[in-house]
């Protein structure tokens, strides 16, 4: 039964990632991968909130599997992030690549921390 929850979350997360990435990237039209950054930061925020709720004892295993493993696992993408960093560097856009790595780490960690604090505050 647990694997069905992971699949259900993944079935929602993968198309959500694609649609969000395309919508965000079309608005910016720059070589900077705003779409992937947006989905990765959103995933960090969701996972942080889920961690906070889990620490408060408010998120059962089924919710963790559905949202954490399934949805966030399919929504976020480390492989695309890595590929985009390499592509930016190969095209001579080293500053974009460095900014992308820095923003992904700083904003992603910040979103996860903020989500965990908010999750614990709301459900704790």
């Amino acid at each position: 039964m647990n694997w069905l929850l992971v699949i259900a979350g993944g079935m929602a997360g993968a198309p959500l990632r694609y649609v969000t990435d395309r919508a965000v990237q079309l608005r910016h039209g720059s070589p900077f991968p705003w779409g992937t950054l947006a989905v990765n930061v959103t995933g960090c925020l969701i996972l942080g909130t889920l961690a906070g709720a889990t620490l408060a004892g408010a998120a059962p295993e089924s919710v963790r599997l559905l949202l954490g493993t399934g949805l966030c696992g399919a929504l976020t993408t480390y492989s695309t992030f890595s590929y985009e960093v390499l592509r930016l560097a190969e095209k001579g856009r080293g500053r974009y690549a460095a900014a992308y790595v820095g923003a992904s780490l700083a904003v992603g960690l910040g979103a996860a921390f903020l989500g965990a604090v908010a999750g614990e505050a709301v459900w704790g």
Side-chain angles (χ1 to χ4, degrees):
M1 184 64 177
N2 288 345
W3 59 275
L4 286 174
L5 292 169
V6 174
I7 288 173
M11 288 176 65
L16 185 59
R17 175 175 77 187
Y18 179 76
V19 169
T20 303
D21 176 57
R22 293 294 83 208
V24 171
Q25 204 59 41
L26 283 174
R27 288 180 183 247
H28 289 283
S30 80
F32 192 87
W34 290 106
T36 304
L37 180 63
V39 294
N40 284 343
V41 170
T42 301
C44 289
L45 182 63
I46 293 169
L47 200 54
T49 304
L50 185 60
T54 299
L55 288 173
E61 178 74 6
S62 59
V63 172
R64 191 182 61 76
L65 289 170
L66 177 70
L67 297 179
T69 306
L71 181 75
C72 289
L75 178 66
T76 60
T77 173
Y78 187 75
S79 58
T80 301
F81 162 74
S82 300
Y83 172 75
E84 289 170 343
V85 168
L86 286 176
R87 294 279 301 163
L88 287 170
E90 285 174 352
K91 290 183 176 183
R93 295 180 170 135
R95 289 184 183 182
Y96 277 123
Y100 186 34
V101 170
S104 293
L105 290 174
V107 180
L109 286 172
F113 178 76
L114 179 66
V117 170
E120 255 190 297
V122 170
W123 289 287

